[in-house]
Amino acid sequence: KRAYKPVSYVDQMAIHFSLNGNMIPKDSDEGRRQSIRLSIAAGRLILLSFLSSEKAPVETSAVTSEEAEIKDEESTGDTQAAEEEEAEGSGTAEAAEAAEVEEPPPPRVKEQKLANQFNFIERASRTLNNPMRERACQSEPTPCKDFSATANQWKIYDAYVEELQKMERSKEKEKPKAQIARKEEEKKKGRKLTSLELQSDDITKISKAAKIMERMVNQNTFDDIAQDFKYFEDASDEYRDQQGTLLPLWKFQYDKTKRLAVTAISWNPKYKDLFAVGYGSYDFMKQGQGMLVLYTMKNPSFPEYVFSSESGIMCLDFHNDHPYLMAVGFYDGNVAIYNLKKATSQPSYKSSAKSGKHTEPVWQVKWQKDDMDNNLNFFSVSSDGRIVSWTLVKNELVHTDVIKLSVEGTTMQGPEGLQLQTLGCGTSFDFHKKIDYLFLVGTEEGKIYKCSKCYSSQFLDVFEAHHMAVDSVSWNPYHLKVFISCSSDWTVKIWDHTIKTPMFIYDLNSAVADVAWSPYSSTVFAAVTTDGKAHVFDLSINKYEALCTQLVVAKKKNKITHVQFNPVYPVVIIGDERGHVTSLKLSPNLRKMPK
């Protein structure tokens, strides 16, 4: 009939286990019969035990003197008479009871059933009883019938314990001698270690107070900069004809990062004065260790957190909902998650060759919304042409290849007639602010791919964007169709993702290292070039030229690598190849709010 058929009743109950019991209600006929039988049997047992206890001394007693024999005969005569009377009384009682029910069988002592310790169904319904070896049985007034059973059980128990101790001893013997030697060394150094531990405990007690004192001293030292940050507004902007300036504020640097380049910058989403800086090297021939450093604008002289890594850090990203979690990508193709709450220098979770790490440097990482099982997950893009989704499942990073970048028209002829597809090299990507599945990928070939999380084998669109590598691509936070890209071919381009050609093209006369949209206006963006200049544009005021072009890094051998807007304050931070991060304040003309 091509229609849903209504079901009148659906049984919602499912029985997973049922067991028929052997209990009988006391009030039933069978229950009454059994209770009567039990009472009769109990009466018989009591009588038999009484008779046996009385007869024993009469048979065994033997006295030589005649007086004693006479006395014994008298006493035995009295006792026998009493027994006969009692026996007659009990016999009449038994006859009366037997008449009520039925003729009982000849009296027989019923053997008590021994509890089976290995029948787990029976044991589950009992309370836990752990007999204290022989004492439990010996302390009872009558001999314990379970004595032999419990003794056997304890023998079995002792055998198991002995076996367990043997295994532990063998494990200790198998431990390498190096560990034993190390322990001996630690014992020798025991006094020194305890003194150091005491010292570290004292430091942790005063660390918070010391940090506050350090910030107060820094605020006094850099008082003029703090005043500029808070209150200074460039009055000359009124006479500049819409042009603006960048006022240098604090310069952040750390001694151990002098020879490393700033490869990534990210502001913390919760603490607006805190930002993370990744250090590594863009030079293929100068690869070494990397560092992850977190600074706050409240203390420009020393970082808040410092983490070192074996490989250079290429990218990082803070989690929006958990601001203490950071995803990090390394030059060796690994990704990791750092937890700022844990006082360790190592990442909490890290990929490996077994868990599907990238084979080339990871150029960008981005946190995504938690998956359907509420597991944390982030995406990464690498030069190996893979966009990978990493999910944190049971304290382990599990990877899923979302898409592989293939270059069209570059199929190579391999051995034995095999067709080999050349993979593209991803350099940057960004996810749409509202459409969850939509993202853009920039490549070394200069193309930008519009991709979907749902399709792993094809692209939604391809933009022939630049002639050299795409260094950065970013969606506009306000206008849902617009995105911006920059490249080493000296250009910054603004696109509508529904149109194949760019809407705006800006030539900045030098390779553009990074570009960023402002958080306060849909028309303002900043770009930095390798000649040490920062450019700030506002399309609502001037669509053709930058409102501000300012030299930030003076030295010739030094290049700017990254730029980021603060999410709240009118401040940008710019990183360079010497490991320095400079903060600059935007003048009023550069931060006009849209109408």
Side-chain angles (χ1 to χ4, degrees):
K1 291 180 182 178
R2 302 178 66 80
Y4 288 104
K5 187 180 176 184
V7 180
S8 58
Y9 172 71
V10 179
D11 188 11
Q12 301 291 347
M13 187 174 74
I15 297 166
H16 294 291
F17 176 77
S18 66
L19 179 70
N20 294 326
N22 54 5
M23 291 186 179
I24 300 165
K26 285 184 177 181
D27 301 335
S28 65
D29 294 337
E30 184 63 27
R32 288 196 199 95
R33 280 194 217 101
Q34 286 198 15
S35 61
I36 290 162
R37 281 180 202 151
L38 284 168
S39 59
I40 292 165
R44 286 201 198 104
L45 284 168
I46 292 161
L47 182 61
L48 285 166
S49 63
F50 180 72
L51 287 169
S52 61
S53 63
E54 286 295 323
K55 282 173 185 174
V58 176
E59 289 170 5
T60 53
S61 61
V63 186
T64 53
S65 63
E66 289 178 357
E67 290 177 4
E69 282 176 6
I70 293 159
K71 284 177 184 177
D72 286 340
E73 282 172 9
E74 286 174 2
S75 62
T76 50
D78 293 339
T79 52
Q80 281 174 4
E83 282 173 12
E84 283 169 8
E85 285 172 8
E86 283 176 10
E88 284 172 8
S90 64
T92 53
E94 281 178 15
E97 286 173 356
E100 284 177 14
V101 190
E102 58 188 6
E103 197 67 33
R108 192 176 65 193
V109 180
K110 194 174 181 181
E111 286 184 12
Q112 191 174 347
K113 183 189 170 188
L114 293 175
N116 183 0
Q117 292 290 328
F118 295 94
N119 186 349
F120 295 104
I121 297 169
E122 194 173 281
R123 289 175 75 186
S125 60
R126 292 172 52 187
T127 53
L128 182 68
N129 54 343
N130 189 9
M132 299 295 289
R133 303 241 168 177
E134 290 98 35
R135 290 181 194 173
C137 290
Q138 289 172 356
S139 60
E140 293 179 8
T142 56
C144 180
K145 291 181 181 179
D146 283 343
F147 178 78
S148 60
T150 50
N152 287 331
Q153 287 162 20
W154 279 111
K155 280 177 187 174
I156 294 164
Y157 173 76
D158 289 341
Y160 273 109
V161 170
E162 196 176 336
E163 186 67 26
L164 194 68
Q165 285 172 352
K166 278 182 185 175
M167 285 166 71
E168 283 175 0
R169 281 192 217 109
S170 64
K171 279 181 184 175
E172 282 177 9
K173 285 177 184 176
E174 284 171 9
K175 282 183 180 178
K177 292 177 182 178
Q179 286 185 359
I180 298 160
R182 205 181 298 151
K183 281 181 183 177
E184 287 173 3
E185 283 176 18
E186 282 176 6
K187 281 178 184 176
K188 287 175 186 175
K189 295 177 182 176
R191 290 176 187 175
K192 292 179 183 178
L193 285 169
T194 49
S195 62
L196 286 168
E197 282 167 9
L198 287 167
Q199 193 178 348
S200 65
D201 287 344
D202 294 338
I203 290 165
T204 49
K205 283 176 185 175
I206 62 160
S207 61
K208 194 175 181 182
K211 191 177 278 188
I212 294 164
M213 282 296 294
E214 186 184 19
R215 288 183 179 185
M216 289 167 73
V217 170
N218 273 308
Q219 197 171 341
N220 290 336
T221 309
F222 302 104
D223 183 55
D224 52 345
I225 298 175
Q227 295 292 332
D228 288 347
F229 164 72
K230 193 76 177 171
Y231 303 111
F232 179 75
E233 300 293 353
D234 195 349
S236 61
D237 266 21
E238 294 177 21
Y239 312 103
R240 279 208 181 95
D241 189 29
Q242 310 290 355
Q243 298 289 310
T245 56
L246 295 169
L247 175 71
L249 296 174
W250 302 282
K251 197 171 190 176
F252 301 88
Q253 57 189 32
Y254 183 49
D255 292 339
K256 293 181 181 178
T257 60
K258 278 183 179 177
R259 293 184 180 180
L260 298 172
V262 174
T263 51
I265 300 176
S266 181
W267 287 97
N268 190 285
K270 185 177 180 182
Y271 302 101
K272 308 300 181 186
D273 59 295
L274 187 73
F275 62 94
V277 183
Y279 290 94
S281 176
Y282 287 119
D283 191 342
F284 175 75
M285 301 300 291
K286 293 180 181 177
Q287 286 304 318
Q289 67 164 8
M291 293 199 85
L292 174 61
V293 179
L294 281 90
Y295 293 102
T296 173
M297 292 197 292
K298 294 175 182 175
N299 182 8
S301 62
F302 200 80
E304 292 290 299
Y305 300 91
V306 178
F307 303 95
S308 59
S309 62
E310 292 174 2
S311 178
I313 290 170
M314 291 288 110
C315 51
L316 54 90
D317 189 34
F318 277 107
H319 197 290
N320 262 334
D321 301 327
H322 309 287
Y324 53 88
L325 291 178
M326 266 194 305
V328 174
F330 297 96
Y331 191 87
D332 63 1
N334 276 312
V335 293
I337 297 175
Y338 283 85
N339 189 342
L340 300 181
K341 284 186 174 181
K342 292 184 179 177
T344 56
S345 60
Q346 297 302 313
S348 300
Y349 315 101
K350 192 175 181 180
S351 66
S352 62
K354 284 184 180 178
S355 61
K357 79 175 188 75
H358 291 283
T359 54
E360 298 277 332
V362 181
W363 293 113
Q364 207 161 353
V365 287
K366 288 273 184 187
W367 284 103
Q368 294 298 294
K369 290 177 183 175
D370 294 357
D371 66 5
M372 294 176 78
D373 297 324
N374 290 326
N375 292 320
L376 297 168
N377 76 307
F378 65 92
F379 278 59
S380 63
V381 65
S382 166
S383 302
D384 64 2
R386 293 162 61 212
I387 287 101
V388 179
S389 169
W390 299 91
T391 310
L392 188 63
V393 182
K394 294 181 180 177
N395 296 329
E396 194 175 331
L397 283 172
V398 179
H399 85 287
T400 308
D401 283 5
V402 178
I403 205 162
K404 285 187 179 178
L405 302 173
S406 57
V407 182
E408 290 179 8
T410 57
T411 309
M412 292 170 64
Q413 193 74 24
E416 297 179 5
L418 287 171
Q419 296 290 318
L420 299 174
Q421 186 75 31
T422 307
L423 289 175
C425 301
T427 53
S428 60
F429 70 163
D430 193 30
F431 288 83
H432 199 277
K433 304 293 185 281
K434 291 285 189 289
I435 306 167
D436 188 49
Y437 61 84
L438 194 64
F439 65 97
L440 299 165
V441 182
T443 62
E444 272 186 20
E445 297 82 44
K447 293 180 181 180
I448 295 174
Y449 297 97
K450 184 166 75 169
C451 308
S452 169
K453 291 181 187 177
C454 307
Y455 305 110
S456 60
S457 58
Q458 64 186 74
F459 311 117
L460 301 179
D461 211 343
V462 181
F463 300 91
E464 299 290 340
H466 296 276
H467 300 293
M468 292 179 74
V470 179
D471 292 322
S472 179
V473 61
S474 178
W475 288 99
N476 190 295
Y478 295 99
H479 201 296
L480 301 181
K481 286 185 177 181
V482 174
F483 69 90
I484 194 168
S485 66
C486 70
S487 168
S488 304
D489 66 358
W490 298 11
T491 60
V492 172
K493 296 183 182 182
I494 296 173
W495 306 75
D496 183 322
H497 79 87
T498 58
I499 305 168
K500 284 271 193 173
T501 53
M503 296 188 291
F504 296 98
I505 301 173
Y506 299 100
D507 191 334
L508 302 182
N509 298 320
S510 186
V512 186
D514 197 12
V515 69
W517 290 107
S518 76
Y520 54 83
S521 172
S522 63
T523 56
V524 177
F525 66 91
V528 288
T529 49
T530 52
D531 60 356
K533 289 180 182 177
H535 309 260
V536 182
F537 291 80
D538 191 343
L539 302 179
S540 64
I541 295 168
N542 190 336
K543 294 177 185 176
Y544 308 104
E545 291 179 347
L547 298 185
C548 171
T549 300
Q550 190 167 315
L551 192 70
V552 178
V553 176
K555 291 179 182 177
K556 286 183 179 179
K557 289 184 179 179
N558 198 0
K559 296 175 184 177
I560 295 178
T561 55
H562 285 280
V563 61
Q564 280 290 321
F565 280 88
N566 185 285
V568 175
Y569 305 114
V571 170
V572 291
I573 49 173
I574 291 171
D576 59 40
E577 281 196 337
R578 295 288 175 90
H580 300 152
V581 178
T582 310
S583 57
L584 303 112
K585 186 176 182 179
L586 299 157
S587 67
N589 277 356
L590 301 180
R591 49 187 166 93
K592 286 181 178 176
M593 299 292 284
K595 292 177 183 177

